[in-house]
Amino acid sequence: MKRPLLTSSLLLGAAGALFLLFNSLQGCRPRTVEAAVGGDAASRTYVKPGAYDEFYNLVSGGFSGQVAVYGLPSGRLLREIPVFSVDPESGYGYSEETKGMLSTTQGFIPWDDSHHPELSQTDGVPDGKWCFINGNNTPRIALIDLGTFRTASIIEIPNSAGNHSSPFTTGNSEYVVAGTRFSIPMGDESSRDVPIKTYKENFKGTVSFIHPDPETGKMNIAFQIKTPGVNFDLSHAGKGPSEGWFFFSCYNTEQAYSLMEVNSSQRDKDFIMAVNWRMAEQLAREGKGKRVPGKHHSNWWNHHTHSAESTVYEDVLQLDPKEHPGLLYFMPCPKSPHGCDVDPSGKYIIGSGKLAALIPVFSFEKMKAAIAANDLEGDYDGIPVLKYESVLHGEVKKPGLGPLHTEFDANGNAYTSMFVSSEIVKWNVQSLEVLDRVPTYYSIGHLMVPGGDSKKPWGKYVVAYNKITKDRYLPTGPELSQSAQLYSIEGDKMELLLDFPTTGEPHYAQAIPADLVRPREVKFFKIEENQHPYAAKGEKETRVERKGKEVHIYMTTIRSHFAPDNVEGVKLGDEVYFHVTNLEQDWDVPHGFAIKGAQNAELLIMPGETQTLKWVPGRVGVVPYYCTDFCSALHQEMQGYVRVSPANSTVPLTAYTVSVDAEL
Ligand code: K7E
Ligand code: CUA
């Protein structure tokens, strides 16, 4: 079945007008600020000095490639976690140990675009163990361990391009998903080298189900489902009655490949794709899939060696839905849906058509009934398309302009972000009645309620993550910090409480009570458990070794000196590796390491950890190194020298330390 495309110039004109609206209203200013803020807003967000916030708020950094952690309700920035981009502050991606985290089949990739943090879940509720996030550009998923707030593993997604509808989780984090934004030709070289014009014949999509090991957090791709060539945008797992299903929004069902802003908006409806992942899991288990080319890296942080390890997989298990009826269904969804959200009861699926003037709410029960009754309007590239009217619970009429994303509270209400009309709209999931609306400043993208995409939202707040900041803060040149806004949802009416700037561009975010995260907190690494091959677990183990052109310095740090702090016998042409072990066994006492002229960032070494900086000296002389983190009253004394001699020098390789406790 192919529905007719809107090709008449009249309809194109109408579509054009919608784009104009969509593009031109991005700075529209709602009511005045004064009217929007209550008098007691300050006391409701004030966290007094020394007191803690109630929630951790993990926010995507967008084009920063990282995840930022804020406290709520204060909006205070607590930490920026390096994930997909190198981070000179911590040495992530610069130290020899961390480079492997960013390794891919295309080599070392130092940047990505991170969009959707998703907390791991137990019984459909965030459990405070991990936070996943997608890398959009070079398709990857990362897992952050909330014991350390560090990236613990990263897996590359093969046969994908633009990993956007990712990494949403099933109710017990059996899987996180990755759906490709761009469809592409796949397979061997000759099948990939095809004219772009052959999109319809040759381009396909995939959705992948990634399994994180519950113990180690190491990830592998359990199976991948091949789909028609469309763009996947967002997704969410079913829960409760819809547990076992996954829902993905798709656009560009026109299968356009150029002038997308017009050509991919022709159809009146695109789709929500429903995936029976329990069935897929069963098929995979029964060996029904096919191993197809799909080389990818799975990188994992080994907490004992304090180093990244990479496993390279050559292929991936793929399922073809054409061979397995019942695996995939399409539900028609108006106008280029973006968000795809499932309410806490698991009964309703919300599609948010960016260009639609309503919000369709689908009923899982009706979807099951339509499947059972074979109530189809046809098929799309071999996949059954259910009838819109048959699967619809109802439509939210006139909610606002440019609906993007929906989150939920525990009382049956939904909160939808409206990009074009710059507002949050609250509505009731059962009655579909609009209950309240508040302006956002400006052009909200995602929004987030603590636990708001889970079975049991904690509610209390909704946070808007805005695309445009304009005049909200003191100007800082052409680029302004992006902006988040905190609203109370405890009463019937939403109330603006706080604005706070964010790092990078926030897309999605998650929040969780701090009490659920803190029991796993790691304060330092036990030195006796350090299995780094170049660790020096005491100053007696410090030394220098030459292996041809490589010089390995086994170094330690403790307040307030390095051992060794004088090294001689390094020659031009050598590669010097400083393997620095931080001997401290105390909370919050990292030491830093930097050496003059290093074409590299510093190291920041946590207590009990070993990290390595590679340095290639470029000239003869005596070169200082020092600790970069103000660690004690004698931090400024924490320094050393390396003597670099000409390539033909006969100065012997020696290292010595003159320090008060060198023999400890
Ligand atoms: Cu910013 Cu989730 Cu990538 Cu919508 S997406 S806004
Ligand atoms: Cu160690 Cu400053």
Side-chain angles (χ1 to χ4, degrees):
M1 186 247 16
K2 291 267 177 192
R3 270 161 295 146
L5 299 183
L6 309 179
T7 43
S8 81
S9 56
L10 188 75
L11 285 171
L12 265 179
L18 246 177
F19 295 122
L20 257 179
L21 185 69
F22 197 64
N23 291 327
S24 66
L25 286 184
Q26 53 166 309
C28 89
R29 290 206 65 169
R31 287 167 267 156
T32 64
V33 184
E34 294 71 29
V37 182
D40 63 344
S43 65
R44 292 161 73 187
T45 59
Y46 184 64
V47 176
K48 69 174 191 254
Y52 294 148
D53 278 291
E54 182 181 356
F55 293 99
Y56 283 110
N57 182 199
L58 293 113
V59 183
S60 61
F63 44 74
S64 84
Q66 318 294 45
V67 168
V69 186
Y70 302 84
L72 294 180
S74 73
R76 295 185 294 196
L77 175 64
L78 303 175
R79 165 126 235 103
E80 205 174 347
I81 306 170
V83 183
F84 292 116
S85 299
V86 296
D87 177 46
E89 180 182 337
S90 62
Y92 180 82
Y94 292 94
S95 72
E96 294 306 298
E97 288 79 0
T98 53
K99 282 177 182 169
M101 293 301 286
L102 299 174
S103 81
T104 73
T105 49
Q106 305 196 63
F108 175 79
I109 304 273
W111 173 87
D112 217 306
D113 181 14
S114 64
H115 281 224
H116 306 120
E118 172 89 336
L119 292 162
S120 58
Q121 296 186 355
T122 302
D123 295 330
V125 180
D127 55 19
K129 190 174 167 192
W130 297 327
C131 182
F132 302 95
I133 179 123
N134 62 323
N136 214 354
N137 185 48
T138 303
R140 285 175 284 179
I141 288 175
L143 177 155
I144 295 163
D145 187 323
L146 294 180
T148 56
F149 285 79
R150 284 176 154 194
T151 303
S153 60
I154 294 183
I155 189 166
E156 192 180 0
I157 315 297
N159 303 323
S160 172
N163 177 35
H164 195 262
S165 50
S166 173
F168 299 95
T169 184
T170 53
N172 288 294
S173 292
E174 299 97 331
Y175 302 106
V176 291
V177 299
T180 188
R181 170 177 166 191
F182 306 96
S183 280
I184 44 166
M186 295 168 201
D188 57 18
E189 259 188 20
S190 64
S191 343
R192 298 200 308 266
D193 178 22
V194 296
I196 297 167
K197 267 196 260 180
T198 64
Y199 186 112
K200 283 193 166 78
E201 300 97 85
N202 291 324
F203 286 44
K204 294 288 167 210
T206 57
V207 294
S208 302
F209 284 69
I210 291 102
H211 174 68
D213 182 275
E215 294 302 313
T216 62
K218 217 182 257 183
M219 292 185 278
N220 72 281
I221 299 176
F223 49 88
Q224 181 172 76
I225 301 171
K226 188 164 135 186
T227 73
V230 295
N231 290 37
F232 292 105
D233 211 5
L234 281 149
S235 61
H236 264 103
K239 40 177 109 86
S242 54
E243 166 98 40
W245 289 78
F246 228 106
F247 305 94
F248 292 81
S249 55
C250 346
Y251 64 106
N252 191 28
T253 54
E254 296 82 357
Q255 303 191 311
Y257 48 85
S258 77
L259 297 173
M260 291 289 284
E261 65 177 324
V262 172
N263 289 337
S264 77
S265 306
Q266 301 295 305
R267 283 177 182 254
D268 186 43
K269 292 194 177 64
D270 292 282
F271 297 127
I272 300 286
M273 181 173 81
V275 181
N276 185 341
W277 66 260
R278 282 281 185 220
M279 179 183 173
E281 183 181 55
Q282 186 62 27
L283 291 169
R285 217 178 272 143
E286 288 166 1
K288 297 282 166 58
K290 224 194 296 170
R291 300 223 69 100
V292 302
K295 196 170 174 177
H296 59 285
H297 284 205
S298 175
N299 310 322
W300 174 67
W301 186 252
N302 182 327
H303 294 274
H304 297 292
T305 60
H306 300 286
S307 305
E309 290 171 12
S310 296
T311 309
V312 181
Y313 295 94
E314 291 299 326
D315 53 20
V316 66
L317 184 72
Q318 215 175 55
L319 294 165
D320 186 342
K322 289 186 189 163
E323 293 166 12
H324 305 292
L327 195 56
L328 297 188
Y329 293 92
F330 283 130
M331 298 193 280
C333 183
K335 290 271 158 229
S336 303
H338 186 57
C340 178
D341 300 287
V342 179
D343 86 312
S345 77
K347 291 185 188 160
Y348 302 108
I349 302 113
I350 288 98
S352 293
K354 305 185 287 273
L355 305 176
L358 51 83
I359 303 172
V361 178
F362 301 95
S363 153
F364 179 72
E365 209 176 299
K366 288 189 171 178
M367 183 193 104
K368 290 287 281 187
I371 291 172
N374 206 27
D375 190 4
L376 307 179
E377 68 170 60
D379 76 286
Y380 180 88
D381 200 6
I383 307 299
V385 179
L386 303 167
K387 271 203 196 104
Y388 180 64
E389 293 72 21
S390 306
V391 293
L392 193 70
H393 164 60
E395 293 168 340
V396 184
K397 306 282 188 199
K398 301 216 168 103
L401 295 173
L404 291 186
H405 299 284
T406 301
E407 290 264 296
F408 306 90
D409 66 16
N411 309 317
N413 300 312
Y415 300 80
T416 300
S417 56
M418 298 288 169
F419 175 81
V420 176
S421 53
S422 262
E423 58 188 339
I424 299 175
V425 173
K426 175 182 176 181
W427 51 277
N428 186 277
V429 178
Q430 264 302 328
S431 71
L432 306 172
E433 196 189 328
V434 171
L435 302 173
D436 190 25
R437 52 182 73 238
V438 285
T440 61
Y441 307 89
Y442 306 95
S443 302
I444 180 174
H446 273 275
L447 79 180
M448 186 279 311
V449 172
D453 72 336
S454 78
K455 256 186 176 170
K456 288 209 179 88
W458 289 285
K460 204 159 178 175
Y461 305 110
V462 62
V463 182
Y465 301 96
N466 299 316
K467 299 300 184 196
I468 315 272
T469 306
K470 295 266 196 238
D471 53 5
R472 295 298 285 183
Y473 303 117
L474 275 179
T476 51
E479 202 206 352
L480 291 146
S481 164
Q482 311 272 340
S483 167
Q485 295 186 286
L486 180 81
Y487 298 78
S488 166
I489 55 169
E490 286 182 300
D492 288 341
K493 298 279 167 199
M494 294 176 276
E495 288 175 83
L496 176 60
L497 300 178
L498 181 76
D499 276 23
F500 59 98
T502 70
T503 65
E505 181 189 347
H507 293 264
Y508 194 37
Q510 296 262 277
I512 182 168
D515 291 347
L516 293 182
V517 175
R518 296 202 54 202
R520 291 182 73 250
E521 74 191 1
V522 173
K523 292 196 160 160
F524 57 85
F525 302 104
K526 294 196 180 107
I527 189 80
E528 65 272 18
E529 289 174 8
N530 183 327
Q531 293 170 16
H532 193 291
Y534 290 96
K537 296 192 200 178
E539 292 190 0
K540 278 191 193 141
E541 295 180 18
T542 63
R543 60 196 182 275
V544 285
E545 280 173 4
R546 176 176 285 286
K547 287 183 193 160
K549 291 273 180 205
E550 289 180 7
V551 174
H552 293 273
I553 305 176
Y554 295 67
M555 183 179 276
T556 59
T557 62
I558 197 157
R559 279 162 289 180
S560 299
H561 60 271
F562 293 102
D565 66 356
N566 283 201
V567 176
E568 298 201 353
V570 169
K571 296 185 276 192
L572 279 188
D574 284 347
E575 275 180 2
V576 183
Y577 294 87
F578 294 93
H579 306 288
V580 187
T581 302
N582 182 351
L583 296 177
E584 307 280 357
Q585 290 289 275
D586 201 354
W587 191 24
D588 197 25
V589 196
H591 291 285
F593 178 85
I595 182 159
K596 183 184 170 188
Q599 291 174 329
N600 212 334
E602 65 158 0
L603 299 176
L604 192 68
I605 312 120
M606 298 304 130
E609 187 182 45
T610 305
Q611 292 290 285
T612 302
L613 194 84
K614 179 181 168 185
W615 175 62
V616 181
R619 40 172 110 142
V620 168
V622 172
V623 185
Y625 53 88
Y626 73 101
C627 171
T628 51
D629 186 326
F630 205 107
C631 50
S632 72
L634 295 173
H635 156 79
Q636 284 298 85
E637 282 70 20
M638 197 164 170
Q639 65 168 60
Y641 290 110
V642 182
R643 175 180 166 194
V644 179
S645 304
N648 59 1
S649 148
T650 56
V651 176
L653 186 65
T654 55
Y656 51 92
T657 305
V658 182
S659 80
V660 283
D661 52 358
E663 286 308 308
L664 285 182

